[in-house]
Amino acid sequence: MTTDRLITQEFSLNLGPQHPSTHGVYRVILTLDGEKIVHAENVIGYLHRGIEKLAETLTYPQFAPYTDRLDYLAGVLNNIAYTQTIEKHMQIVVPERAQYLRVLFGELSRIASHLVCVSSMALDLNSFTGWMYAFADREKILDLFEMTFGGRLTTNYARIGGVSKDIPDTFMSAIRSFLDSFYGRLKDFNDLVSFNQIFIDRTKGVGIISADQAIDYGLTGANLRASGVHFDLRKKSPYGLYDRFDFDIPVLQTGDCYDRYYIRILEIIQSLRIIEQVLQSIPEGTLMGDVPRVIKPLAGETFHQIEGAKGLLGFHLVSDGSKSPYRLHIHAPSFVNIGIIPEIAKGMLIQDFIALLASLDFVLGEVDR
Amino acid sequence: MNIAALFNELQPIYKDKLLLSTDTTALIITQDQLISLLSTLRTRHGFNLLALLTAVDYPDHYQMVYHLMSTKSADMVTVQVNVSKSSSRVPSIVSIWSAANVQEREVYDMFGITFDGHPYLKRILNPDDFTEFPLRKSFVLQSVNRQSLS
Amino acid sequence: MTQFLFNFLALLHITGIIADVIVILCYFVFILLFIIINVMFIVWLERRMSAFFQERLGPNRVGPFGLLQSVVDAVKLLGKEVIRPTATDKWVFLLAPAICFVPALLLYPILPFGKGLVLVNLNIGLLYFVAISSTTTISIIMAGWGSNNKYSLLGGMRTVAQMISYEIPLIFSMIGIIMLVGSLNLVDIVNAQARLWFIHVQPLAFMIFLIASIAELNRAPFDLPEAEQELVAGYHTEYSGMQFAFFYLAEYANLFSLSILGVTLFLGGYQGPFFPSWIWFIGKVYAMIMVYMWIRWTLPRIRMDKMMKLNWKFLIPLSLFNILATGFMIKAWPTIQQWMR
């Protein structure tokens, strides 16, 4: 019997919203032929809280804590993006020390977010131990957060015009001991997961996204750089203090799941370089700039974006001169990144699809907003 | 790249259909020339990344906002299109950027603006049986209890 | 041991068929207790070991070192409601856990636990083991089909593909030993290793046995039938309470029995100096189980098609080569020895 005479029947499978490896309440309707995906359709919105609408009813400082709830794995970066948007609009000068602290905690939360990505990828390919290793390190970063400003995930650190808290006296020794142990542990993690032959077999050549495809679908962040596009806002158009630090932008060429995974490890190393430089050169000074008591930006529009942990995180602010925004649009990188899934998923096996989901590293808090 | 310089370069092609916004940060284009302008910006001027697509509800009209970016130089340009409240239709730009697919669906979901030529225009974040368009200013946030009282 | 039981019963003037029934019941209780106690210990060990691999503490609250944790869990599962979704195939769904557990139980009588400690000294012991253990597949496809759940069905189909194909290298890896010993009796095989363990003679077969047995046991890196990240829980997604416990129990009972088989075939069974034979036996079996755990908590999951390739294109030819080389050496060894003189 030849294979083309063998009649098979397609069936649809609802992956999620409650599924171990959809990283939240993401749901995808798969049409399967055996274990091969014929068609995939994203279904999102299970975590939709209407944050953009809420912004229109709140004052500017009141909205800052809501930004933690976007990409809850890198809360500080969201705070920074939001506050910088308003500072840009109102031309507020942020003190030097506050800027340094923003870079420090921004990079720490970038590492924390990337650690979640690489470890979840390990977990999705069933390397449970690798997951535990990276999460233990992330835990130490969250301890540093807690030590400084109390929150772990819901950070609310950056204020309009500065930051909320200074680092405590014990912070320097704590971060030193974390950094000293972290390099060795990253090597352990690499040996256990990144250079494991089974892991490489599962991810190399799987879910390839070409550079043109990535740009066409608006992929940003590490996902874009893994496809060979050298594009990082921290270098291309530095915001904050990023032009003062010496670091590289890792770029990988293939754009498969392994590259998207491994580029995050490389970015962690670069973030560590930035942190080392911050720790050496952080100046003394005040934490808050000259900010009016009531924040009432002039009427007008501002668009500001930063290199978030998942990609370009942009805030489009339309102000009418009142105490609350007329319109605040949040350009969430994860929301755009998952738009490519139906295209790439065609013809994949379920197992590869899981690797693809993990490698795209989306966070549902940011997708649904 | 300066927006004003770009405006001067494009002005001869689009004539009175292209305007510069009052604060000289954005290009304002009419609906019929939107596709043409965006694809020109993408192919000729290197703005190859769609950095943001959204809408704003002004009292007398909707405004579509497109932020384009170049991955080479990180230059940005903002393009705005005014959409009348009576028709609330605008051409879809999915043919230029696939990234517009989900973002246009979101704008449709939130504002009720219909995109002509969109391959799969349906609600994305709100439930399918939801009838309102929540980001319109006419949709007022209030608790369900208060709604039933009034 | 059987003789001892019959003699004891004869002292109480119980003979004939009643004595037979009593002895069989004793076997049953003994095996059940043995399995349940060991499985509970293995479950505790697995959780504890994985915790140490992962820099955690693991269960450490209930009893000394958390040893009673499994007991508490078992009691909890006993108290849980057995839920049967309405769309399931009733009898297939209900029978699957029992059918899964029974073969696991049936394997134990023939296994030699120590010198003279074998309940039924079967002449075709190895064949019996292979035949019975392969029936587990049926229960898993029953569970997968009967659940009427797509994840379960995919898990069930994966199981059939995986377990049937990996049985071939598993059995082929034993053939070399059967050729060396000339018997299928497990006690004979153990006795033949008095001077030299077969792992020294058949290292390749041991490696094949190890890999294929991991696949048979559905453990990482071959745990595709219950791949949590893709199929939620595979074939036992819809099971709860005691039915789930049966699958769980059977899984660990199979781990235990295959470790026993591995020790019996390759590691000299209960043979060893100084200590009583059963201590050697238990020690070796738990060492083998530790190896399984070590592999499980280190490696990610392999992909379905790659796993099949590994089996058909690598393990089976390799095991065939092993049989050929063994046969050649058995015939050639006397000649070589003559030349050496």
Side-chain angles (χ1 to χ4, degrees):
Chain A
M1 192 161 55
T2 55
T3 44
D4 52 84
R5 284 181 60 196
L6 200 71
I7 297 162
T8 55
Q9 196 185 351
E10 291 172 0
F11 71 105
S12 67
L13 180 74
N14 258 316
L15 203 77
Q18 284 138 350
H19 186 275
S21 54
T22 52
H23 298 198
V25 284
Y26 166 75
R27 168 175 161 218
V28 56
I29 302 173
L30 298 174
T31 310
L32 294 174
D33 180 9
E35 292 218 15
K36 198 168 239 172
I37 294 166
V38 184
H39 182 76
E41 188 194 336
N42 289 333
V43 183
I44 52 177
Y46 291 95
L47 203 61
H48 179 57
R49 292 148 293 178
I51 283 186
E52 287 175 18
K53 186 72 179 176
L54 279 171
E56 294 171 13
T57 64
L58 298 167
T59 65
Y60 288 93
Q62 272 179 338
F63 182 68
Y66 283 82
T67 57
D68 302 334
R69 276 79 174 168
L70 293 169
D71 173 3
Y72 44 77
L73 298 176
V76 179
L77 286 169
N78 301 334
N79 300 153
I80 293 171
Y82 173 68
T83 48
Q84 278 184 345
T85 310
I86 291 152
E87 285 153 13
K88 191 172 166 183
H89 191 93
M90 298 176 71
Q91 290 162 358
I92 295 170
V93 181
V94 181
E96 193 94 317
R97 185 175 174 83
Q99 297 246 36
Y100 269 94
L101 287 176
R102 282 185 184 182
V103 173
L104 173 64
F105 285 102
E107 291 307 312
L108 276 176
S109 62
R110 191 187 310 277
I111 293 175
S113 168
H114 281 354
L115 279 177
V116 172
C117 171
V118 293
S119 60
S120 310
M121 182 126 176
L123 180 66
D124 283 352
L125 305 186
N126 204 25
S127 178
F128 203 132
T129 308
W131 183 70
M132 278 289 174
Y133 270 41
F135 255 62
D137 290 326
R138 173 174 176 264
E139 198 65 20
K140 288 177 199 155
I141 295 177
L142 297 187
D143 284 343
L144 292 174
F145 286 180
E146 192 179 5
M147 184 187 273
T148 309
F149 42 82
R152 290 165 71 83
L153 289 175
T154 50
T155 51
N156 191 19
Y157 183 51
R159 294 278 191 272
I160 298 167
V163 294
S164 65
K165 294 256 169 43
D166 204 349
I167 48 176
D169 299 335
T170 48
F171 182 84
M172 280 300 176
S173 60
I175 194 171
R176 211 27 28 235
S177 70
F178 162 70
L179 289 174
D180 290 344
S181 70
F182 187 57
Y183 289 104
R185 291 181 56 93
L186 205 58
K187 189 182 167 297
D188 279 354
F189 183 80
N190 272 337
D191 290 344
L192 184 69
V193 181
S194 313
F195 306 141
N196 182 309
Q197 191 56 46
I198 296 177
F199 185 84
I200 292 172
D201 275 355
R202 283 288 305 273
T203 51
K204 270 249 188 280
V206 170
I208 294 176
I209 300 174
S210 68
D212 288 342
Q213 236 176 349
I215 291 174
D216 185 37
Y217 274 92
L219 255 60
T220 45
N223 295 332
L224 182 63
R225 292 190 286 275
S227 295
V229 181
H230 187 282
F231 183 68
D232 188 321
L233 271 192
R234 289 176 294 171
K235 272 275 189 235
K236 287 275 177 181
S237 100
Y239 56 91
L241 292 182
Y242 278 107
D243 47 353
R244 294 196 192 174
F245 302 112
D246 174 32
F247 64 101
D248 299 320
I249 301 302
V251 177
L252 296 176
Q253 297 304 325
T254 331
D256 55 8
C257 289
Y258 187 79
D259 278 2
R260 280 196 291 280
Y261 159 85
Y262 195 62
I263 199 161
R264 289 183 164 93
I265 301 256
L266 299 175
E267 284 191 8
I268 288 173
I269 295 168
Q270 295 305 323
S271 291
L272 287 173
R273 275 178 70 187
I274 299 175
I275 290 171
E276 295 279 6
Q277 292 168 48
V278 171
L279 292 181
Q280 274 166 19
S281 54
I282 185 165
E284 292 298 321
T286 54
L287 294 177
M288 287 295 285
D290 199 11
V291 186
R293 282 187 71 86
V294 178
I295 291 174
K296 268 186 168 181
L298 295 172
E301 292 180 27
T302 304
F303 178 57
H304 179 69
Q305 52 186 2
I306 67 161
E307 186 68 35
K310 310 285 188 288
L312 290 190
L313 176 65
F315 279 80
H316 179 74
L317 170 74
V318 180
S319 165
D320 58 353
S322 68
K323 280 192 282 187
S324 49
Y326 185 74
R327 167 92 171 101
L328 184 72
H329 177 71
I330 302 156
H331 178 83
S334 301
F335 177 67
V336 183
N337 287 353
I338 65 165
I340 201 170
I341 290 176
E343 171 77 16
I344 301 297
K346 274 179 199 145
M348 272 186 152
L349 296 173
I350 295 187
Q351 282 193 301
D352 291 342
F353 181 68
I354 299 296
L356 173 74
L357 286 189
S359 73
L360 281 175
D361 186 27
F362 52 88
V363 165
L364 265 294
E366 195 176 58
V367 172
D368 291 345
R369 281 160 289 159
Chain B
M1 196 182 286
N2 195 323
I3 299 279
L6 189 68
F7 175 73
N8 291 334
E9 200 181 323
L10 291 166
Q11 174 72 33
I13 311 172
Y14 294 102
K15 308 249 163 36
D16 58 336
K17 297 194 164 172
L18 186 73
L19 296 169
L20 196 62
S21 68
T22 45
D23 53 353
T24 68
T25 53
L27 304 171
I28 300 174
I29 187 83
T30 53
Q31 283 202 25
D32 53 335
Q33 295 300 318
L34 173 68
I35 302 261
S36 153
L37 175 69
L38 290 183
S39 49
T40 311
L41 285 173
R42 181 174 183 176
T43 49
R44 302 252 182 83
H45 300 275
F47 292 105
N48 53 357
L49 188 74
L50 180 67
L52 176 139
L53 185 164
T54 189
V56 185
D57 179 6
Y58 288 111
D60 51 342
H61 64 278
Y62 298 118
Q63 185 182 58
M64 290 294 302
V65 184
Y66 303 88
H67 284 283
L68 312 183
M69 227 178 162
S70 154
T71 54
K72 289 230 165 55
S73 58
D75 281 341
M76 291 213 54
V77 62
T78 310
V79 177
Q80 294 174 344
V81 181
N82 290 336
V83 184
S84 75
K85 288 215 167 174
S86 53
S87 75
S88 54
R89 298 185 86 85
V90 76
S92 165
I93 60 158
V94 175
S95 53
I96 311 173
W97 279 286
S98 306
N101 189 326
V102 283
Q103 300 184 58
E104 283 183 352
R105 273 179 73 184
E106 190 198 353
V107 170
Y108 165 74
D109 191 5
M110 297 298 177
F111 290 92
I113 298 175
T114 311
F115 291 87
D116 294 323
H118 190 283
Y120 190 61
L121 197 63
K122 69 177 263 203
R123 286 190 179 270
I124 186 165
L125 292 178
N126 289 312
D128 285 345
D129 54 354
F130 194 56
T131 50
E132 309 261 2
F133 296 106
L135 278 181
R136 284 181 177 176
K137 288 285 172 188
S138 56
F139 182 88
V140 181
L141 275 190
Q142 56 183 356
S143 67
V144 179
N145 288 339
R146 217 187 289 168
Q147 258 173 348
S148 60
L149 281 175
S150 59
Chain C
M1 203 166 111
T2 318
Q3 207 50 50
F4 169 76
L5 268 175
F6 274 118
N7 290 341
F8 180 73
L9 288 172
L11 276 179
L12 302 171
H13 304 290
I14 301 170
T15 49
I17 196 151
I18 302 172
D20 284 346
V21 169
I22 290 175
V23 168
I24 287 168
L25 272 179
C26 284
Y27 286 173
F28 181 73
V29 170
F30 169 74
I31 290 170
L32 205 62
L33 276 178
F34 183 78
I35 293 177
I36 286 176
I37 290 170
N38 271 295
V39 164
M40 280 180 174
F41 184 70
I42 294 170
V43 171
W44 173 82
L45 193 70
E46 174 128 85
R47 294 176 65 176
R48 201 76 181 160
M49 291 280 290
S50 66
F52 286 133
F53 283 132
Q54 300 170 352
E55 311 174 308
R56 295 185 284 122
L57 289 172
N60 64 350
R61 295 285 139 175
V62 190
F65 306 107
L67 262 169
L68 297 178
Q69 183 69 46
S70 310
V71 181
V72 179
D73 285 347
V75 171
K76 179 203 73 174
L77 280 174
L78 272 173
K80 285 224 164 180
E81 185 190 357
V82 174
I83 301 164
R84 188 178 69 82
T86 43
T88 50
D89 190 336
K90 187 179 176 191
W91 287 108
V92 177
F93 183 82
L94 290 180
L95 276 177
I99 291 181
C100 187
F101 187 59
V102 167
L105 215 64
L106 283 176
L107 292 176
Y108 283 83
I110 58 144
L111 296 171
F113 299 110
K115 202 166 269 177
L117 269 176
V118 55
L119 295 178
V120 182
N121 193 353
L122 209 59
N123 271 333
I124 51 158
L126 201 52
L127 185 66
Y128 173 86
F129 188 97
V130 168
I132 296 291
S133 68
S134 63
T135 53
T136 317
T137 322
I138 299 171
S139 67
I140 291 178
I141 187 72
M142 278 172 76
W145 181 259
S147 298
N148 197 11
N149 174 317
K150 284 163 186 167
Y151 292 118
S152 304
L153 183 60
L154 280 172
M157 292 195 302
R158 280 182 177 186
T159 313
V160 176
Q162 173 181 329
M163 289 179 80
I164 289 178
S165 18
Y166 271 86
E167 242 156 45
I168 300 166
L170 184 76
I171 295 166
F172 277 5
S173 69
M174 302 171 188
I175 289 180
I177 287 169
I178 300 170
M179 287 159 74
L180 284 172
V181 182
S183 164
L184 286 166
N185 188 322
L186 289 173
V187 179
D188 285 352
I189 291 174
V190 173
N191 288 337
Q193 302 178 66
R195 278 175 46 231
L196 191 64
W197 294 0
F198 280 144
I199 189 175
H200 300 295
V201 195
Q202 297 266 321
L204 189 62
F206 180 69
M207 290 313 294
I208 297 168
F209 178 86
L210 196 67
I211 295 171
S213 60
I214 293 170
E216 280 293 290
L217 292 166
N218 301 335
R219 287 172 73 83
F222 300 112
D223 56 346
L224 288 107
E226 45 200 292
E228 185 196 323
Q229 284 79 12
E230 297 126 32
L231 302 180
V232 189
Y235 57 88
H236 55 60
T237 306
E238 295 288 356
Y239 285 92
S240 58
M242 211 46 213
Q243 291 182 322
F244 170 74
F246 268 123
F247 278 116
Y248 205 66
L249 209 62
E251 191 183 315
Y252 280 93
N254 283 333
L255 168 68
F256 194 52
S257 60
L258 258 176
S259 302
I260 293 176
L261 190 70
V263 167
T264 309
L265 291 179
F266 294 99
L267 301 178
Y270 49 73
Q271 308 269 8
F274 311 124
F275 298 111
S277 59
W278 60 273
I279 288 189
W280 273 104
F281 175 79
I282 289 286
K284 284 178 192 171
V285 168
Y286 273 94
M288 186 98 175
I289 288 172
M290 297 274 209
V291 172
Y292 282 125
M293 287 179 185
W294 185 17
I295 293 171
R296 171 170 178 179
W297 295 107
T298 309
L299 295 177
R301 186 184 302 118
I302 199 163
R303 207 170 74 191
M304 189 77 188
D305 54 334
K306 297 229 165 97
M307 185 189 74
M308 285 301 172
K309 256 180 218 161
L310 173 74
N311 181 44
W312 293 103
K313 295 192 177 163
F314 186 72
L315 285 183
I316 290 182
L318 208 63
S319 54
L320 283 171
F321 168 77
N322 184 56
I323 295 170
L324 185 75
T326 312
F328 180 75
M329 284 308 281
I330 289 172
K331 284 292 169 200
W333 185 242
T335 328
I336 294 170
Q337 272 183 325
Q338 275 182 354
W339 283 346
M340 303 262 275
R341 275 186 212 136

